[in-house]
Amino acid sequence: MSTAPLGARKLDQLDREELLATTRHLLAEAQALSSRIAALNEISVAINRTFDLEEILQVVARQAKWLLDYEHFSACLHQPDGWRVITLFGSPVTITSQALVQTDNVGMVLQTGQSRLIQQTKPGMYLEQYASQIIVPLLSKGEVMGTIIFAASLPNAYKQDDLRIGYMLALQLASAIRNADHVQELNRVQAEMHIYTEELEASNRELDAYNHTIAHDLKSPLTSIGLNADLVKRVSKDALPPKADQYLENIKSASHKMADMIEQLLWLAKARNAGDAVIPVDVKQRIEAAISRFSHSIEANKIQIVFNGEMPQVMGHGQWIEEIFANLISNAIKYMGTNKLNPCISISGYQQGNCVRYQVTDTGVGISKEDQLHLFEMFTRLHTVQAEGLGLGLSIVHRMVSQMNGQVGVESFPDIGSTFWFTLNIVE
């Protein structure tokens, strides 16, 4: 039998016994490596079940013994005030953040982001009492957020395969720590958002109460102004100059206009929150109530009102739906124009999947493509014709429909007319 070392001879130079021994040795190494990789996978599964950093480190401390033999195992993690050393196995070691960075082993890994395999420590190194060390950086997006350190008393205790296993564990741990940091940051932001939301809701409640108080306080004197203008007109009509009658009418008209503006602003505030749960609404009844508000204008302008379809019931708020139709009908009247031979407003409703689509179509002046882009924004008014109001009507419509989980839109052509539509969920 040859006495030359196995590593210096080729497999075809080995006799049967040597070949069997070599095969058994390779199989044992392969089995050991397979077991370590399986243990790594188990650690990966375990640490990715939680986003709590302390729990992640405890799992790694319990399971790492399946990967490497060591007498000391610690992690160095970056904190806002410096580096924090956490002993996961073995005797705790106390070292300042500044001193740790200056060491020739851990400090070098923190600075370079390169792993180190130390077979014999030197004085001044971190954990210099342990001759053998494996130090692997924890990397996140190319930045070093810490290291893990394995140490043993005997020199030359670790090999390159051990360093590779440590590197694979570091990858798993770095990923888990990064996820934990993201979740912690997300929880912090959510907590701040919760506080902000509560403060905003409280502020909105105060603002709503303030709006209603101011509206009531403003509408009362406006009503008084209108009544006093009527009273002066009746009592002192013969004693007033000829123009005074028109002045009194102007006062009365201005007070009514201002009351309407206040009412629009109130509706805009109400539409911020849907309040109670939606209920089935008889839409036809609400449309008729909305039309009745403008009976005088409809008759004066000789506008024909046409109903198309059955007007199915929907889920919503009855008063809101009436206000939506009132705004759309009012808008159609305002922008009907003065030279239309047969002015007409048609109202239709039909089922469209799980929704009902309602439409208010007029034969008015129409709207250009450019104006349509800003139509549902606050204080938007068209200058195609002279029309009164603040330009809040369509923004009120948009907000109310959105709060009832519907959609709203417009189809219009200049000099032909406009169709305003909105959808709401059908009553099942």
Side-chain angles (χ1 to χ4, degrees), residues 270-409:
K270 291 176 186 177
R272 183 168 48 242
N273 194 314
D276 299 333
V278 294
I279 60 173
V281 177
D282 185 343
V283 177
K284 181 70 177 294
Q285 181 181 359
R286 293 296 179 172
I287 295 173
E288 291 172 345
I291 292 172
S292 67
R293 303 188 194 182
F294 309 102
S295 56
H296 177 73
S297 296
I298 291 170
E299 291 177 6
N301 292 282
K302 299 179 180 179
I303 298 173
Q304 182 184 11
I305 303 294
V306 178
F307 283 90
N308 296 315
E310 298 180 358
M311 309 300 163
Q313 288 191 349
V314 293
M315 301 299 293
H317 301 282
Q319 190 60 44
W320 284 23
I321 292 174
E322 181 178 327
E323 194 64 24
I324 290 169
F325 276 106
N327 274 289
L328 295 181
I329 293 168
S330 172
N331 208 59
I333 295 172
K334 287 178 184 177
Y335 295 98
M336 184 62 72
T338 57
N339 58 351
K340 295 291 179 176
L341 295 178
N342 299 298
C344 178
I345 298 174
S346 62
I347 302 170
S348 60
Y350 57 91
Q351 187 171 347
Q352 192 177 62
N354 295 327
C355 301
V356 176
R357 176 177 171 128
Y358 295 104
Q359 297 184 163
V360 176
T361 301
D362 63 63
T363 56
V365 295
I367 307 165
S368 68
K369 289 289 185 183
E370 293 75 18
D371 285 335
Q372 290 179 39
L373 296 175
H374 308 285
L375 204 54
F376 294 98
E377 296 176 5
M378 293 176 61
F379 305 110
T380 296
R381 291 179 59 187
L382 305 181
H383 300 287
T384 311
V385 296
Q386 188 68 28
E388 300 176 349
L390 285 176
L392 288 175
L394 293 179
S395 63
I396 293 172
V397 169
H398 183 273
R399 186 170 292 185
M400 287 181 174
V401 171
S402 298
Q403 288 288 348
M404 291 186 290
N405 300 314
Q407 294 181 322
V408 63

Side-chain angles (χ1 to χ4, degrees), residues 112-154:
T112 64
Q114 300 294 320
S115 302
R116 290 197 65 182
L117 173 60
I118 299 174
Q119 303 289 19
Q120 178 62 63
T121 55
K122 300 176 182 179
M125 286 185 172
Y126 174 66
L127 299 174
E128 63 180 48
Q129 67 272 33
Y130 298 99
S132 298
Q133 296 183 7
I134 291 176
I135 308 171
V136 186
L138 300 171
L139 300 173
S140 175
K141 297 180 179 179
E143 295 184 3
V144 179
M145 60 181 180
T147 66
I148 52 175
I149 306 106
F150 298 95
S153 297
L154 295 176

Side-chain angles (χ1 to χ4, degrees), residues 74-76 83-87 92-103 105-107 124-127:
S74 58
C76 171
W83 296 99
R84 172 192 174 198
V85 176
I86 306 168
T87 301
V93 178
T94 303
I95 186 171
T96 65
S97 177
Q98 183 178 0
L100 184 71
V101 173
Q102 294 174 349
T103 59
N105 50 356
V106 175
M125 286 185 172
Y126 174 66
L127 299 174

